[in-house]
Amino acid sequence: MRQTNIPSVAPANAMPISIRCPFCRHMGSFFPIHGVADVRENTQVQSANGHGLYARAYGIRRCPNESCNRLVLFEGDNNGNRIYPPEGLDFDNTNIPQEIAASLEEALKCHGAGCYRASALLVRRTLEELCADKNATGDNLKKRIEALKSAAIIPPGLLEAADELRVLGNDAAHIEAKDYDAIGPKESEIAIELTKELLKAVYQYDDLVAKLKAFKKQPSP
């Protein structure tokens, strides 16, 4: 068991931290607010291996993206930095309908907050909205996912993944569902990544190909 003395608290030189903004999702070096110092705690600890120093710092940083400029709180210690709100996973919502993107963005927020079952539920909602947008009909979500075959060009592997996401969402919503042993951070993250790939296939690949073709030389007259 670790024993600690009373920590000493003192201002420290504020350094930038490199993170992804939880608000605008841009990567950048977040610098401190002018005139606002960090606070650092240095605590002597005793463990089975002897004495050591446990250092922890707290501070405020600002997003460098001028269109954002939001503030985040950070806590850093021997194990690395953590920010609040959480950094979250990346997501490019280009060309994705607003309602669908909003559901997946909410799933990302739930994941970042450690609410993994809520994240799985919102992944399922994202699938429901995708089916509705593509007019894939059926009397349950499984049949609507199957109907996506004729409503959009989607690789078979991603359609199979979509059905697994449906099952994961079922487990999150119903106590009696036991297809997955648990819905934790890894399950939630994989579900989000698969959903992103599914949305890319439906809404983003054609636009990327069109942009590439725009760079081709025009044929001579």
Side-chain angles (χ1 to χ4, degrees):
M1 178 148 181
R2 190 178 76 178
Q3 297 178 345
T4 65
N5 65 356
I6 298 175
S8 61
V9 180
N13 292 329
M15 300 294 291
I17 57 175
S18 181
I19 58 173
R20 185 185 306 280
C21 179
F23 302 103
C24 70
R25 296 201 189 84
H26 284 82
M27 287 293 298
S29 294
F30 281 51
F31 282 84
I33 307 300
H34 180 70
V36 180
D38 292 348
V39 174
R40 179 175 295 162
E41 297 177 350
N42 294 318
T43 306
Q44 291 293 331
V45 299
Q46 183 178 0
S47 66
N49 298 323
H51 294 277
L53 182 67
Y54 176 70
R56 182 163 56 180
Y58 310 89
I60 301 173
R61 296 292 184 271
R62 185 189 299 277
C63 176
N65 179 8
E66 292 184 358
S67 64
C68 179
N69 273 172
R70 301 285 292 275
L71 301 179
V72 300
L73 303 178
F74 91 93
E75 174 191 18
D77 60 17
N78 299 26
N79 300 315
N81 292 326
R82 293 167 296 282
I83 66 165
Y84 307 93
E87 187 172 354
L89 302 173
D90 188 25
F91 172 46
D92 177 12
N93 61 8
T94 304
N95 292 337
I96 297 175
Q98 183 177 357
E99 296 80 5
I100 299 173
S103 288
L104 188 55
E105 285 167 354
E106 195 169 345
L108 291 169
K109 291 177 182 177
C110 289
H111 176 85
C115 302
Y116 304 118
R117 283 177 293 183
S119 178
L121 279 170
L122 283 158
V123 163
R124 182 186 171 97
R125 179 183 176 88
T126 304
L127 294 177
E128 293 274 13
E129 291 177 336
L130 167 61
C131 292
D133 183 64
K134 291 300 177 181
N135 296 315
T137 59
D139 56 13
N140 57 49
L141 182 55
K142 181 177 180 62
K143 291 182 179 179
R144 290 193 286 276
I145 289 173
E146 291 174 354
L148 279 174
K149 294 178 184 178
S150 57
I153 301 175
I154 301 174
L158 281 179
L159 280 173
E160 182 181 350
D163 194 56
E164 288 298 323
L165 295 175
R166 173 191 65 82
V167 173
L168 188 71
N170 256 0
D171 279 17
H174 304 292
I175 295 176
E176 67 274 10
K178 299 294 180 183
D179 288 283
Y180 284 88
D181 291 333
I183 301 177
K186 290 298 184 183
E187 291 84 359
S188 172
E189 181 175 351
I190 292 171
I192 288 170
E193 292 300 325
L194 284 171
T195 305
K196 285 159 54 176
E197 290 302 316
L198 182 61
L199 296 181
K200 281 181 187 178
V202 176
Y203 297 106
Q204 295 177 327
Y205 285 160
D206 287 347
D207 183 61
L208 288 173
V209 172
K211 287 179 179 178
L212 180 62
K213 287 182 177 179
F215 291 106
K216 291 176 67 176
K217 290 182 179 180
Q218 296 298 318
S220 301

